[in-house]
Amino acid sequence: MADAYEMRLRQGSTEVVAFTFTGLDLTGFGARMKGKRRHSDTSAVFDLTSAGGQLAVTPGTNSVVTATFPATTTAALDAPATGVWDLECFNTTTGVVYRDVQ
C-alpha cells in the first residue's frame, strides 16, 4: 500500500513538490503522476510525466522525484477542491512499477 500524503496546490501558482524515496535507488526510472477529483473518475485534472518534463527523477540511495506544476495547470484546478492523486515510478527497461505515494 502506498503512503498517503496531503498535497496543497495554490490555484494559478507554479508549485514545486519534492518526494524523497528513502532506500530506493531509481536509476533507470521514469515517473508519472495523475490527479483526479474522485477515484472513480476517468479523466484527470492533472497528468504529469518525466517524459513531459514536469517530473524529474534524481536517482541515488535516497532518490528524489520533483514534481513541477506549471501555473497553467494549477489555474485550471477548482478552488477550493479536494481530490486524489498518485505517483508511480517505472523502470524504463524492465517495466517494474513502484507506486509508493498517493
Side-chain angles (χ1 to χ4, degrees):
M1 177 177 226
D3 290 335
Y5 176 79
E6 184 175 318
M7 184 172 51
R8 294 177 186 257
L9 303 174
R10 293 172 295 211
Q11 187 179 33
S13 176
T14 298
E15 299 284 340
V16 179
V17 182
F19 302 92
T20 300
F21 295 87
T22 304
L24 182 60
D25 186 349
L26 294 176
T27 298
F29 279 71
R32 55 187 169 241
M33 182 180 204
K34 280 192 181 183
K36 301 187 288 185
R37 285 183 172 67
R38 291 171 294 283
H39 288 288
S40 60
D41 287 355
T42 56
S43 61
V45 294
F46 66 81
D47 190 354
L48 310 179
T49 65
S50 52
Q54 305 95 348
L55 297 174
V57 179
T58 306
T61 303
N62 298 315
S63 297
V64 177
V65 176
T66 304
T68 301
F69 295 85
T72 53
T73 298
T74 63
L77 300 175
D78 293 333
T82 59
V84 296
W85 61 275
D86 64 5
L87 171 62
E88 293 181 340
C89 298
F90 57 93
N91 186 293
T92 57
T93 303
T94 66
V96 169
V97 176
Y98 294 112
R99 186 177 156 271
D100 286 341
V101 181
Q102 63 183 13

